[in-house]
Amino acid sequence: MAALLAARGLQTSDQWIVERTGIRARHFADDGVNSSDLALHASLAALQAAGRVAQDIDLIIVATSTPDMIFPSTACILQHKLGIAGCAAFDVQAVCSGFVYALAVADAMIKTGSARCALVVGSEVFSRILDFNDRTTCVLFGDGAGAVVLEASNEPGILATDLHADGRHVGILCTPGTVAGGQVLGDPLLKMDGQAVFKLAVQVLDSAARAVLEKAGRSTDDVDWLIPHQANIRIMQSTAKKLKLPLDKLIATLDEHGNTSAASVPLALDVAVRSGRVKRGDTVMLEGVGGGFTWGAVLLDF
Ligand code: ACO
């Protein structure tokens, strides 16, 4: 990455990026590959892992801030690519908290009987909104997708969810441009006040973790695995330390894919499950934090 950016005249180094963030690699989708394409790939893998087929799905929620189009939703495009029709499908836009938000919505819809078998996806092509002349942001993000199948069951499941937002902080992390009159208005590239985001992230990840544990009547001792938003290893380790969780309970995969926004938590969950670390019966805490400012947590028995 550093060599690529040096060729564009940007001063950076792989050492700086790894030391400050823990990120060693990120992946960028080819031109013409959109969030729905990455979402399809992740969805098929999730369906296979769950022993389900697309026809079993009666709800699709895609968390994304980089949709294929302004409308229709990426979820509708994904539904078509999955070869199904008729079930509810919509996007959730909560930036890097998107997957946790989407999972909480799917859980609520299943618990109220509105859905039985939900496909919940986080999918992003953040490379499309990065300013490759801004070294403070472009080295942090990557593209990716992750998905889960969530089904009604008498066994828990999702034990508790906890979601928050504070719109006073819109300006510290945003892609402010929009489209009007057939033209892009404002700046369509990502802007971030890294230090402000860092400080707020450390604070709210701790409060959301404690709130979701309290709602579920559990304590930090019950948590087998912490899977926070994969943005910066220092934020993640600080969250674990504040909760007095040993660092070997922290799932960190950002070294392999960077910050993939709404895709980061399901990507990390996928790696943790397929590598055999997260096992049936383990108690897992998922946490998201990102633009909005948004944050939240989901506590589940896997
Ligand atoms: N390479 C080399 N130097 C750099 C780079 C780079 N890529 N980027 C910044 N620097 C420089 C800065 O210009 C600054 O130089 P100066 O001291 O001469 O002014 C110096 O490094 C230190 O910069 P800081 O911003 O103080 O570095 P910091 O330690 O705060 O790390 C970072 C920056 C990694 C962005 C950190 O603030 C961070 O991770 N913030 C949180 C990001 C996050 O969690 N996002 C999650 C939400 S994402 C979403 O919702 C889409």
Side-chain angles (χ1 to χ4, degrees):
M1 184 72 177
L4 196 78
L5 293 176
R8 301 174 80 115
L10 287 193
Q11 295 267 314
T12 188
S13 67
D14 288 324
Q15 189 190 351
W16 189 97
I17 301 167
V18 173
E19 277 176 11
R20 298 287 177 123
T21 69
I23 297 166
R24 292 177 187 276
R26 71 289 287 150
H27 305 271
F28 296 152
D30 287 339
D31 289 347
V33 174
N34 293 322
S35 284
S36 67
D37 298 306
L38 303 185
L40 176 65
H41 196 76
S43 299
L44 294 175
L47 285 166
Q48 189 180 41
R52 293 287 175 266
V53 292
Q55 287 69 22
D56 295 325
I57 297 299
D58 63 0
L59 170 66
I60 300 173
I61 308 181
V62 175
T64 187
S65 303
T66 46
D68 292 20
M69 314 178 181
I70 291 177
F71 71 82
S73 69
T74 304
C76 287
I77 299 168
L78 172 65
Q79 185 199 53
H80 182 58
K81 288 184 176 173
L82 283 167
I84 54 174
C87 71
F90 61 90
D91 289 359
V92 160
Q93 217 281 39
V95 201
C96 301
S97 310
F99 184 76
V100 163
Y101 263 65
L103 205 53
V105 172
D107 176 53
M109 288 182 72
I110 287 176
K111 283 182 175 149
T112 56
S114 313
R116 188 189 40 79
C117 185
L119 176 65
V120 185
V121 190
S123 188
E124 303 280 15
V125 284
F126 254 55
S127 58
R128 307 284 154 77
I129 55 168
L130 294 179
D131 179 354
F132 285 98
N133 291 312
D134 177 6
R135 67 176 181 173
T136 68
T137 54
C138 72
V139 300
L140 305 174
F141 296 90
D143 302 341
V148 299
V149 175
L150 195 68
E151 269 190 275
S153 163
N154 291 328
E155 305 278 313
I158 292 183
L159 304 168
T161 64
D162 186 66
L163 302 180
H164 299 274
D166 186 343
R168 288 175 300 176
H169 303 292
V170 163
I172 65 172
L173 179 53
C174 57
T175 300
T178 189
V179 173
Q183 293 191 327
V184 174
L185 292 189
D187 191 338
L189 300 177
L190 184 148
K191 303 277 168 285
M192 179 169 75
D193 176 344
Q195 288 189 5
V197 170
F198 194 104
K199 282 181 201 146
L200 213 47
V202 168
Q203 196 184 313
V204 298
L205 286 171
D206 183 56
S207 64
R210 291 177 195 283
V212 84
L213 283 168
E214 195 178 326
K215 279 186 183 176
R218 301 274 182 107
S219 78
T220 46
D221 293 341
D222 299 317
V223 177
D224 295 304
W225 300 104
L226 174 65
I227 309 185
H229 173 45
Q230 312 278 310
N232 185 313
I233 192 68
R234 292 184 291 146
I235 295 176
M236 295 162 67
Q237 288 177 344
S238 144
T239 304
K241 279 181 195 157
K242 279 181 147 204
L243 292 171
K244 299 201 167 40
L245 278 176
L247 289 183
D248 57 8
K249 291 189 171 188
L250 175 68
I251 303 286
T253 58
L254 84 165
D255 57 321
E256 297 170 37
H257 51 70
N259 182 347
T260 56
S261 190
S264 93
V265 168
L267 271 175
L269 177 64
D270 183 73
V271 170
V273 172
R274 289 178 198 274
S275 66
R277 274 181 289 170
V278 172
K279 292 185 278 303
R280 280 265 166 248
D282 285 355
T283 300
V284 182
M285 185 181 303
L286 310 178
E287 288 205 272
V289 58
F293 213 65
T294 54
W295 66 97
V298 173
L299 190 72
L300 57 95
D301 279 345
F302 189 71

